[in-house]
Amino acid sequence: MSFVYLFGIFALGAYLLQILFGLKQIKHFNQNYQQLRKKGKVAIGRRAGKIKAGTIVLLAVDPAGIILDARKMQGVTVLAKFKELPVYLGEDIHYIDKYHPKVQKENKLTIQAMENAREIYLRTEAGNYTESQGVSPVTLMKIQIQTWKEKIYMKEKRSAK
């Protein structure tokens, strides 16, 4: 068997494992979300990671904004799991920002996820939150190509004068 076939089989196997572990991680997220949802509203904060670790924070909040339960999932791989954050129990979500003494002790990605959860909670509470659609990689590539075309056109136009 040639190297190309072996590499293809290996790549396919790695892809299938990625799918299986991804599905397992989604199931784990849903279980944690449902547990927190039984306690109250859930504020979800996220800090996506492309090369660095991604972070998701789930905060169960009562109607007054007091945190009843807090969990964090952080990692680069699909093997990341939620861990409890008992230090935030009883805190008011309205004051969870980068200036809060407990939040300052966290790493940078967790701080950003906590602020994201707070921001979304406040915007939802005010009634003016709408989920913005991210731009797909294909759309980003089209925008980049269009920008390059315009730069080339402008250079040609300047050199013609």
Side-chain angles (χ1 to χ4, degrees), residues 13-155:
Y15 182 70
L16 292 174
L17 279 175
Q18 175 78 13
I19 290 171
L20 290 174
F21 284 130
L23 291 172
K24 186 172 177 150
Q25 189 177 50
I26 290 169
K27 183 179 177 184
H28 180 68
F29 172 86
N30 287 332
Q31 288 172 343
N32 278 276
Y33 176 76
Q34 290 301 323
Q35 290 171 359
L36 295 182
R37 188 68 185 106
K38 290 176 183 173
K39 296 179 181 183
K41 291 182 181 178
V42 179
I44 302 173
R46 59 186 182 249
R47 167 50 173 88
K50 297 197 183 346
I51 296 174
K52 296 180 181 178
T55 304
I56 298 176
V57 174
L58 301 178
L59 304 171
V61 183
D62 72 2
I66 304 302
I67 297 173
L68 304 171
D69 199 350
R71 298 180 188 178
K72 169 181 87 167
M73 178 171 55
Q74 187 171 40
V76 179
T77 70
V78 291
L79 300 175
K81 300 280 184 191
F82 276 100
K83 294 175 179 62
E84 294 194 9
L85 296 171
V87 71
Y88 297 104
L89 302 183
E91 295 289 332
D92 191 337
I93 192 169
H94 298 97
Y95 302 108
I96 297 293
D97 60 10
K98 63 183 172 188
Y99 304 110
H100 192 283
K102 292 179 181 177
V103 176
Q104 287 179 342
K105 294 178 183 175
E106 300 287 346
N107 65 47
K108 182 177 148 183
L109 299 173
T110 302
I111 292 170
Q112 291 172 346
M114 298 285 277
E115 285 188 319
N116 182 250
R118 175 184 177 265
E119 177 191 344
I120 291 172
Y121 178 82
L122 293 175
R123 289 172 54 195
T124 302
E125 189 177 47
N128 64 357
Y129 178 73
T130 55
E131 184 73 31
S132 61
Q133 292 294 326
V135 180
S136 74
V138 173
T139 304
L140 285 175
M141 189 172 65
K142 286 180 183 177
I143 292 169
Q144 187 66 44
I145 290 171
Q146 185 64 34
T147 305
W148 288 337
K149 284 181 180 178
E150 288 176 13
K151 284 182 180 180
I152 291 169
Y153 175 74
M154 293 304 287
K155 283 182 181 179

